[in-house]
Structure formats: structure tokens, C-alpha cells
Amino acid sequence: MCRHAAWLGAPRALTTLIHEPEHGLLAQSYAPRRQRHGTVNADGYGMAWYDPARTEPVRYRRAIPIWADANLPALAEIARSRCLLAAVRCATTGMPVEESATAPFAGGGWLLSHNGRVERDAVMDLADDLPESPCDSAWLAAAVFARGSAGLGLAAALADVVVRAGEKDPAARLNLLACDGTALAATVWGDTLFFHADQDGVYVASEPLDDRPGWQAVPDRSLLTATPDDVRVQPL
């Protein structure tokens, strides 16, 4: 379910997550190579970035296939930032297909995407406020953002929500990818995640965006944290 990717480091355009790589999110929307559940991610897409002129990140989300948006290529070329996040969606059966159900979700300056599925009963009591959508991913985002509001850091908030939700729903798949403009955090719980670091920063993605050497798989039940010059992985 879904594919997502993020960049943190020297300023780059969103097209480096979507169109430029041979296996970027555009290709992953119709031909993912490592997706374990679902075959096509055509139920919407979203992208977001941080602009120093704004206190909140900028988001652009559509409830249509990413390949059907004629405005996207030009927008992705000019949307440039040190911190980028984008996702394509394969909606869980029974979940709404609408912009409010499409990642990235935003709250308190944080951005979040979810690859997987979880019973809503496993996360509803973890959130303080109603989410913007009734979908499971929005409930997960609301729970993470609530912990951020309470003072937890990005990585600690993700880890707490994933472990609690996973205990309540053993069949859940809880790959979360989040950022705050200066750091990335991601969980691996039931699906794939990879990262690629170079001298300018780090990519984190559900599957490699290209065939360059250096992509590293993150083990299941792990928490990844990244700054532009450091990546760490620890068990959940």
C-alpha cells in the first residue's frame, strides 16, 4: 500500500523524488518493484516542502493518479527545498479516496506519510483531536502530531505510536515517514524501506529511486533517524 520518499540535505527540487530517477515515485505509481501489497498506486498523490518564507510547510495533494496531473512536472521542477516529502497512494479497501486522505499529512510543522494499513480502533484512542480524514493513515498522523504537541521529538513520537498501534493490531503494517524541516524519521513495520546517503544529504524511500550502488535496506521493526550528515537505525 503506497510508496513514499523524502530528501534532506542541500536544496533539491521535488522532481528528484518523482520524475528524474528511473524508478522515482512516478514509475512507482504504476510499476513498483518491491511493493508487497497492491500493484498500482493510483488513488492520489501528494508532495510537500519547506520554504524559509513560511512558518508551515507547503503541501500539494490530489486525489487522482500522479500521471494524470498535467501541472505536476513544472511544479515539481520549481518546488525546491532542503527537506522534501512525497507519496503515491494505494487506498486500503473501504478507505475514502479524497485529498484529505492523501499524504503528506501536516501538523505543528511536521509532515507525515504512511505506507501500510491499521485498524482504526488501534489508533483512535492515541490521538487527541479528530484527524482531517477518517482514513487509518490520518488517524496515525493525528496520534503522532499529538505527541509532538506534548513535547516528544519526531523519532520518539513515531516510535511510540507504531509500537502501541502494533500491539493492538498485530496484522498492522506501519511504515511511517516523517520530517520537521531539519530531520527525517521513519519506521519499518511490515514493508520495505531504504536509504541512500551522499555528501549532500540523504534519501529515504519505500524502495530505491534508482539503480545506483549505495542504497541500504532498513531491517523490519526498526526506527531510522536522519540529519543531512548522519543516519542511524535502531530496533523498535
Side-chain angles (χ1 to χ4, degrees):
M1 300 281 184
C2 310
R3 303 280 83 182
H4 51 212
W7 163 257
L8 181 69
R12 292 189 177 177
L14 267 160
T15 193
T16 60
L17 299 180
I18 300 171
H19 302 94
E20 287 183 2
E22 181 181 359
H23 304 292
L25 288 180
L26 176 61
Q28 291 179 28
S29 69
Y30 57 82
R33 296 186 294 170
R34 297 178 183 265
Q35 190 162 323
R36 297 172 178 170
H37 304 274
T39 56
V40 177
N41 298 288
D43 295 322
Y45 81 94
M47 59 186 194
W49 65 98
Y50 290 82
D51 188 310
R54 291 175 51 92
T55 58
E56 298 289 332
V58 183
R59 287 189 296 165
Y60 182 82
R61 300 183 294 171
R62 300 292 306 278
I64 61 174
I66 191 171
W67 62 78
D69 188 346
N71 297 314
L72 176 61
L75 180 59
E77 285 183 6
I78 63 170
R80 177 178 293 270
S81 175
R82 297 180 181 275
C83 187
L84 310 166
L85 194 154
V88 290
R89 185 180 185 222
C90 175
T92 301
T93 301
M95 296 298 168
V97 177
E98 58 190 17
E99 287 182 11
S100 63
T102 305
F105 302 97
W110 293 4
L111 295 168
L112 182 141
S113 175
H114 170 221
N115 169 27
R117 49 77 45 205
V118 64
E119 293 294 335
R120 280 177 288 190
D121 289 346
V123 292
M124 291 175 70
D125 62 348
L126 300 179
D128 293 338
D129 300 311
L130 290 174
E132 61 177 312
S133 166
C135 75
D136 54 352
S137 299
W139 276 105
L140 282 167
V144 170
F145 299 152
R147 280 148 182 76
S149 297
L152 280 185
L154 188 67
L158 261 63
D160 185 65
V161 169
V162 166
V163 171
R164 288 173 181 265
E167 289 174 348
K168 294 183 177 182
D169 179 5
R173 299 189 300 275
L174 298 160
N175 279 39
L176 302 183
L177 176 59
C179 57
D180 63 5
T182 62
L184 300 177
T187 57
V188 188
W189 192 287
D191 213 309
T192 60
L193 189 76
F194 293 78
F195 73 90
H196 188 289
D198 60 32
Q199 68 274 14
D200 292 327
V202 58
Y203 286 103
V204 178
S206 298
E207 56 186 73
L209 301 174
D210 52 43
D211 293 325
R212 291 179 298 164
W215 284 97
Q216 298 184 50
V218 184
D220 196 27
R221 303 295 173 98
S222 294
L223 171 70
L224 176 147
T225 56
T227 61
D229 53 10
D230 184 43
V231 179
R232 300 186 182 186
V233 176
Q234 64 188 75
L236 280 167

